[in-house]
Amino acid sequence: MPVVLITGATSGFGRAAAKRFAQAGWSLILTGRRAERLAELETELKEQVPVLTIKLDVRDAAAVSQALAELPQEFKPLTCLINNAGLALAPEPAHKVDLKDWHTMIDTNITGLVNVTHAALPLLIEAGAGASMINLGSVAGQWPYPGSHVYGASKAFVEQFSYNLRCDLQGTGVRVTDLAPGMAETEFTLVRTKGDQAASEALYRGTTPLQAEDIAEQLFYLATLPDHININRLEVMCTRQAWAPFAIDRD
């Protein structure tokens, strides 16, 4: 039975991915910081497939290493790692942002990604041909916009880290993909605005954004491609989102 490890599984893309992979009969290792949500998800899915939930902050390198080192034998090796844990904060202009918000994004989106990847690589390599690492990037890693500052920069790291891992993993059979969604209706904006429900609703009002299930479907597609195929980067936008003109400062 194939095994998938999903970080940040308590909401959004991670939660939807857990349900999609369970539907296909994959064993699940689900991590997140909210124990009650992990418990709910385990209760929902454990009748379908084996489920292991781990309360985990990906920023804690020692805890990540210990959790993966202590995986039960039935959850090894890893067929797929979905590095989904991440967040955006502080949509204000850079000069108005609290430095702590920048540090939180770096610690989660970059350091957390590195921590999990380093601990999981031996398990992916053990699985060999057809194993996949899928890193959740963003269109913000490729296309700058006001208020993206460190968030966009962190997702550019995800892209380059993924490409460079591809080089190092050549010959192991392990695939690496940067999956870069555009606007998607999840808790993303609610977290970014620190609970501003009105701001979250305003962003999605009157359009048709991506849903978490749309990205879960792409994750499953990437993880189940024939062994000889690696999609390096997959950028996905809703049809009603596109690029804006250059901004011009005028007198």
Side-chain angles (χ1 to χ4, degrees):
M1 181 179 291
V3 179
V4 59
L5 165 59
I6 305 172
T7 67
T10 54
S11 65
F13 302 152
R15 184 179 179 85
K19 294 181 179 182
R20 180 64 183 90
F21 279 80
Q23 180 185 343
W26 287 53
S27 295
L28 306 176
I29 306 169
L30 308 177
T31 80
R33 291 185 298 164
R34 291 174 283 192
E36 70 285 353
R37 289 200 180 188
L38 285 173
E40 290 171 4
L41 199 54
E42 181 178 8
T43 298
E44 180 179 352
L45 300 177
K46 68 182 180 181
E47 298 302 321
Q48 300 179 54
V49 293
V51 180
L52 174 65
T53 59
I54 306 171
K55 185 178 183 298
L56 186 65
D57 186 338
V58 296
R59 297 174 295 181
D60 186 337
V64 169
S65 295
Q66 181 178 355
L68 269 65
E70 295 177 353
L71 288 177
Q73 194 59 43
E74 60 267 32
F75 289 95
K76 294 189 292 186
L78 287 179
T79 317
C80 182
L81 165 63
I82 298 177
N83 274 315
N84 171 68
L87 79 170
L89 295 170
E92 302 83 13
H95 55 284
K96 297 182 179 181
V97 171
D98 189 326
L99 180 59
K100 290 187 294 185
D101 287 338
W102 278 5
H103 286 169
T104 298
M105 286 187 280
I106 291 167
D107 291 344
T108 307
N109 299 352
I110 296 178
T111 305
L113 167 67
V114 168
N115 289 343
V116 176
T117 299
H118 189 268
L121 275 173
L123 297 171
L124 290 165
I125 292 170
E126 182 182 348
S132 303
M133 181 193 309
I134 309 171
N135 299 324
L136 263 295
S138 169
V139 296
Q142 189 88 2
W143 310 106
Y145 61 86
S148 184
H149 38 76
V150 165
Y151 175 69
S154 72
K155 292 304 183 178
F157 176 90
V158 174
E159 179 181 0
Q160 285 301 317
F161 186 52
S162 300
Y163 291 167
N164 283 280
L165 284 169
R166 280 272 289 127
C167 297
D168 288 344
L169 291 170
Q170 180 77 0
T172 66
V174 179
R175 292 96 63 93
V176 185
T177 300
D178 170 32
L179 174 57
M183 181 172 61
E185 190 173 8
T186 65
E187 294 180 9
F188 176 88
T189 300
L190 200 61
V191 171
R192 190 173 205 178
T193 59
K194 299 183 178 178
D196 189 338
Q197 184 66 42
S200 180
E201 292 173 359
L203 178 64
Y204 307 119
R205 186 179 300 124
T207 190
T208 311
L210 297 170
Q211 300 297 313
E213 292 75 16
D214 299 325
I215 298 305
E217 198 61 44
Q218 299 307 311
L219 289 164
F220 184 73
Y221 164 73
L222 292 166
T224 54
L225 285 166
D227 295 356
H228 68 286
I229 299 175
N230 190 109
I231 294 181
N232 300 323
R233 184 172 189 272
L234 179 57
E235 183 177 289
V236 184
M237 286 184 175
C238 61
T239 306
R240 299 180 73 179
Q241 181 182 24
W243 304 277
F246 284 111
I248 308 298
D249 179 32
R250 303 184 188 277
D251 294 332

